[in-house]
Amino acid sequence: MTTVSRPTAVPAPSTPDGAGPAGPPAHTPRRRPSLRGDGAWPWLFVTPLVAGVAVFYLWPILQTAGYSLTESGPFGGSTFAGIENYLALFADPRLYLSLANTLLYTGIVLLGIPLAVVLASLLNLPGLRFASLYRVLFFLPYVAMPTAVAMVWRVIFNGDFGLLNFLLGTVGIEGPYWISTPGAAVVAVAIVGLWSSLGFSMIVLAAGLKNIPPELYEAAELDGASRWRQFRAITVPLLTPSIFFVTIITVISSFQLFDLLYAILGSSNPVLPRSMSLVYFFYREGFVDNDKGYAAAIAMVVFLIIGLVTAVQFRLQRRWVHGD
Amino acid sequence: MATESILVPEGARRRGASRRRGSHVVAHVVLGTGGFIMAFPFLWQIIMSLSTNAEVQSVTPVLWPAELQWSNYAEVFDRLPFFDQLQTSVLITVIRTVAQILFCTLAGYAFARMRFRGSGVLLALVLSILMVPSQVYLLSQYQIIQGLGLLDSLGGLVLPGLFSAFGTFLMRTAFLAMPAELEEAARLDGANPFQIFWKIMLPLARPSISVLAITTALWSWNELLWPLVITTFSDRMPLSAGLATLIGDRTTDYPVVMAASLLAMAPILILFIVLQRRVIDGLASSGLK
């Protein structure tokens, strides 16, 4: 029988530019197909995508930046307004309210990550039966349509006949009117957010766990380290790159909160102005109140906040992410 | 490496295995309870979809309806232009998925494997979008669609989503990792770049293509904000936006809403359950650079 090795394990033996600096060994040498270039072919390949991206993404980004400096007139025209939209926005309590709601939502959804670490390591136990069933159950909410699952959660959170308040009642707690109390509404939406993102974090972390060499556990076992000790001393530190990735993805997607909020609370909910997220605030200004310039300013500020938060995370990463 | 575990004495292995089996009880309790909680909303939704409105609104929960109300499902078709919306959802999903696979593999291949003037700048421009949250381009995309007269049309619903920076990134990464020998052999045989791409490289990129197809299909089927903005007539909406119109009626007929939600989710959930291993592994690996 011959041994089958993964292609990445075998460095390509013959490289024409072998004299050049050697790349990292896991990287397949990238070779230019020919020295003359490929004539018109690359343009045929690239043009459809690049044109689409330029028209529907790059140009809109520039245009939005431009809009944020204009004031929309009542009849659709717009005039240059300088930084007035930004000044008005920074004086607008709704910005801080929607930012606070978004942060509260993000904070609660992030609680799912430690939970996902524990669940993923249980799921990865060697020889665990029903593992693929568990994977499907936990992953189901992630693939389900947010608008559709929102419908059932609306009823579960209902203050009068919801299942949640019934269960809380059996242990003597009187639950709030979740959907119609400003703070509780955000918490309710965040619980659903946690529920729907948990499976994704768990699966990414489980894939990360597969990369931890089993010898480490064997050695630890020989040294008499307890399960808990192994989890803390091996699993968690070696998993930090995956944990970092999942954290970044969770924060970025939580800042985009819209679908669940819109569908769980309902567009005519009187509590919405006090429970809205940043993106809902943007949607309301841009597409309900049709204040294009103001909405564009909100979009730019959200862009800035996400950029800042991500940059801070990458900075902090050096402190706690184990890597080489 | 793998042979080591075979060399471990049988007794030691068995002891290890039995110790592991002991701890599996805890794992099964935790994962079983967790899995039940995760799946419960779907079960509850099924139960409610077969109940009467009075049973749904009963203060003491009715765990199983006195009589299964299958008529709730029939009523969905009176309340929503369901087949129109289903058709729209299917078309959006299929058109976007096919277009993204085509455009992103072509561009990803050129960025990974061909040399041409300005490729670095173009690539950087395309990838820069990955950092920009969607609402930054939403207003302007809406205006472009409006300008083209495509509001409330299938064209308007799919158009910006035909192109994807993420997909280009994914496919470029896939093509970068492939060995160059095959291309070279084909070139010596006189194949042109498109033939090399189409006959040799594309089939090799199948795992990454399926990741792209899965993410695009999921996102297209489930997305709410764009269809909400682009459509106003319910017979032009996809299911995601159509469902949202059912909220906020003063007198909500909960069982019918639940039935409609289940019908709207069903196609993608069934597809997920059929392809579960591929979907989960694909999405998990998309998370590992």
Side-chain angles (χ1 to χ4, degrees):
Chain A
M1 251 174 54
T2 50
T3 355
V4 183
S5 47
R6 307 213 326 279
T8 46
V10 188
S14 63
T15 324
D17 51 22
H27 215 85
T28 320
R30 180 180 162 195
R31 215 179 309 165
R32 304 298 196 183
S34 92
L35 291 174
R36 289 177 285 106
D38 296 282
W41 283 105
W43 296 101
L44 291 176
F45 276 57
V46 150
T47 302
L49 181 100
V50 170
V53 164
V55 172
F56 288 104
Y57 294 88
L58 290 172
W59 167 245
I61 291 170
L62 296 177
Q63 205 175 22
T64 301
Y67 283 150
S68 74
L69 302 173
T70 65
E71 194 165 2
S72 330
F75 304 108
S78 55
T79 48
F80 184 74
I83 57 165
E84 239 164 79
N85 284 321
Y86 290 95
L87 293 178
L89 182 59
F90 286 119
D92 189 340
R94 291 178 303 170
L95 173 68
Y96 303 101
L97 184 70
S98 56
L99 178 61
N101 286 331
T102 306
L103 287 173
L104 174 61
Y105 174 85
T106 307
I108 294 175
V109 175
L110 279 174
L111 293 178
I113 292 181
L115 194 60
V117 173
V118 174
L119 291 168
S121 55
L122 290 177
L123 194 65
N124 256 37
L125 287 174
L128 184 78
R129 294 185 67 193
F130 309 123
S132 60
L133 173 68
Y134 293 137
R135 269 163 41 119
V136 168
L137 290 180
F138 278 89
F139 209 68
L140 215 47
Y142 182 77
V143 293
M145 181 188 288
T147 335
V149 293
M151 301 299 174
V152 69
W153 282 102
R154 278 167 65 81
V155 179
I156 292 176
F157 282 122
N158 186 289
D160 292 318
F161 54 83
L163 194 61
L164 183 63
N165 278 2
F166 175 79
L167 291 176
L168 289 174
T170 58
V171 290
I173 301 171
E174 200 184 322
Y177 279 80
W178 293 94
I179 308 275
S180 49
T181 312
V186 180
V187 174
V189 174
I191 291 172
V192 183
L194 198 165
W195 170 78
S196 70
S197 66
L198 186 66
F200 177 74
S201 306
M202 199 172 143
I203 295 311
V204 172
L205 292 167
L209 284 170
K210 291 226 165 64
N211 293 334
I212 300 179
E215 296 82 42
L216 290 177
Y217 293 102
E218 281 158 26
E221 198 128 327
L222 287 179
D223 289 345
S226 67
R227 283 258 145 168
W228 175 239
R229 189 76 208 281
Q230 291 177 28
F231 179 74
R232 270 181 38 208
I234 302 173
T235 310
V236 173
L238 288 182
L239 201 57
T240 46
S242 300
I243 296 175
F244 176 68
F245 173 80
V246 166
T247 309
I248 293 270
I249 294 287
T250 305
V251 169
I252 292 179
S253 60
S254 296
F255 265 83
Q256 309 276 328
L257 168 64
F258 177 83
D259 294 18
L260 281 178
L261 186 88
Y262 183 91
I264 293 177
L265 299 192
S267 53
S268 54
N269 191 330
V271 97
L272 204 46
R274 281 182 292 162
S275 306
M276 64 186 174
S277 64
L278 285 168
V279 176
Y280 188 84
F281 182 31
F282 160 82
Y283 167 79
R284 200 183 182 96
E285 289 299 311
F287 295 100
V288 181
D289 298 342
N290 285 317
D291 192 344
K292 223 180 349 159
Y294 202 58
I298 299 172
M300 297 312 283
V301 169
V302 174
F303 181 21
L304 205 72
I305 295 174
I306 293 182
L308 271 176
V309 170
T310 312
V312 167
Q313 282 178 292
F314 269 96
R315 205 134 251 267
L316 292 177
Q317 170 205 20
R318 292 189 207 141
R319 299 237 186 102
W320 63 275
V321 174
H322 177 99
D324 28 34
Chain B
M1 233 28 137
T3 48
E4 267 178 24
S5 63
I6 299 166
L7 295 178
V8 173
E10 189 57 23
R13 283 180 70 206
R14 197 160 299 154
R15 236 175 298 136
S18 69
R19 190 181 152 186
R20 290 213 177 101
R21 195 139 306 146
S23 66
H24 282 187
V25 175
V26 179
H28 283 301
V29 170
V30 174
L31 291 170
T33 315
F36 177 75
I37 294 172
M38 295 303 275
F40 178 77
F42 298 103
L43 295 176
W44 194 230
Q45 199 160 22
I46 294 171
I47 293 169
M48 283 196 287
S49 76
L50 295 169
S51 305
T52 62
N53 211 8
E55 281 168 329
V56 170
Q57 297 184 53
S58 135
V59 176
T60 324
V62 180
L63 292 181
W64 194 255
E67 201 176 328
L68 296 179
Q69 309 288 327
W70 292 105
S71 61
N72 292 332
Y73 282 85
E75 209 177 309
V76 169
F77 301 98
D78 299 333
R79 297 282 300 277
L80 282 180
F82 190 85
F83 286 113
D84 290 331
Q85 296 181 351
L86 177 69
Q87 188 188 0
T88 306
S89 283
V90 170
L91 286 173
I92 293 177
T93 305
V94 172
I95 294 173
R96 276 184 177 169
T97 307
V98 172
Q100 282 202 14
I101 290 175
L102 186 69
F103 295 146
C104 296
T105 51
L106 277 169
Y109 178 73
F111 281 129
R113 292 299 193 156
M114 292 175 161
R115 71 190 288 172
F116 56 103
R117 198 175 283 272
S119 68
V121 176
L122 281 182
L123 181 65
L125 277 174
V126 171
L127 296 189
S128 68
I129 299 167
L130 289 173
M131 294 181 299
V132 183
S134 64
Q135 56 280 13
V136 173
Y137 33 75
L138 198 68
L139 278 168
S140 176
Q141 283 180 340
Y142 171 80
Q143 288 191 312
I144 295 172
I145 297 301
Q146 190 181 31
L148 294 171
L150 291 176
L151 290 182
D152 268 309
S153 77
L154 185 65
L157 282 167
V158 297
L159 205 42
L162 300 182
F163 311 99
S164 161
F166 166 75
T168 310
F169 171 73
L170 190 74
M171 295 319 303
R172 175 178 172 268
T173 313
F175 287 121
L176 272 181
M178 287 178 190
E181 283 75 21
L182 287 166
E183 268 175 319
E184 224 135 78
R187 190 169 297 113
L188 291 177
D189 287 346
N192 70 35
F194 184 76
Q195 289 168 327
I196 295 173
F197 164 75
W198 189 256
K199 295 218 175 98
I200 297 170
M201 300 306 269
L202 207 55
L204 289 177
R206 213 172 281 154
S208 295
I209 294 174
S210 76
V211 171
L212 177 60
I214 291 160
T215 50
T216 309
L218 269 182
W219 162 70
S220 302
W221 190 270
N222 292 339
E223 184 196 36
L224 175 65
L225 185 50
W226 180 249
L228 206 58
V229 162
I230 286 298
T231 55
T232 38
F233 302 111
S234 65
D235 59 343
R236 299 295 172 87
M237 291 175 179
L239 288 163
S240 56
L243 275 180
T245 62
L246 291 179
I247 329 168
D249 298 357
R250 282 270 168 265
T251 51
T252 305
D253 196 342
Y254 290 104
V256 178
V257 173
M258 296 308 153
S261 306
L262 285 164
L263 289 176
M265 279 191 289
I268 209 95
L269 287 187
I270 290 169
L271 205 62
F272 163 64
I273 288 168
V274 171
L275 298 174
Q276 42 143 317
R277 186 160 288 276
R278 186 173 290 195
V279 173
I280 293 177
D281 290 345
L283 289 175
S285 68
S286 76
L288 305 168
K289 348 176 186 176

